[in-house]
Amino acid sequence: MAQTCAWCESEKVTSSKNSVFWELPDGSRAIEIRQTPSITCHSCEMEYQTENTVKVIEDQLFLINTNAVGNEISYEDLMAQPRLLKRNYFDFSSYPGQE
């Protein structure tokens, strides 16, 4: 099945890596995350991240010491940051039986 744009439903989409700006969970500041897996639509020109990528970033930012992260970081380096917890225990959607 061909991938389609979440905004305009065009099939003229490609995988890309883009910079995104993300507010930290504590609301203290925003950071730039470079080389983030993204989708680029060549019809409507939207660049966006999949729901899964958004969840992975949000979980990681919640589970790491964000004081150790500068104003910009690559996606790969962000994902390599050591976690303070093994998982996001406040995300009840990932528990069995939660649809």
Side-chain angles (χ1 to χ4, degrees):
M1 184 172 154
Q3 186 175 17
T4 59
C5 175
W7 298 92
C8 73
E9 299 182 357
S10 169
E11 292 184 2
K12 296 179 182 178
V13 295
T14 55
S15 296
S16 58
K17 292 190 177 195
N18 300 312
S19 286
V20 297
F21 296 87
W22 223 272
E23 184 177 353
L24 297 180
D26 66 3
S28 61
R29 62 191 170 103
I31 61 170
E32 178 182 1
I33 307 170
R34 298 180 320 276
Q35 296 295 306
T36 303
S38 303
I39 304 294
T40 298
C41 177
H42 301 284
S43 292
C44 70
E45 299 183 8
M46 283 298 289
E47 294 178 347
Y48 62 95
Q49 294 68 51
T50 64
E51 287 182 32
N52 184 63
T53 299
V54 169
K55 180 170 180 11
V56 167
I57 291 170
E58 288 180 351
D59 282 349
Q60 184 70 351
L61 288 172
F62 189 74
L63 297 172
I64 65 172
N65 177 6
T66 56
N67 292 326
V69 176
N71 289 332
E72 61 180 63
I73 190 169
S74 72
Y75 178 82
E76 184 177 308
D77 289 344
L78 176 66
M79 293 303 122
Q81 293 291 307
R83 290 182 167 193
L84 302 174
L85 297 171
K86 290 182 182 179
R87 61 178 296 222
N88 183 351
Y89 293 100
F90 299 100
D91 178 8
F92 300 109
S93 67
S94 62
Y95 286 106
Q98 301 292 317
E99 317 294 300

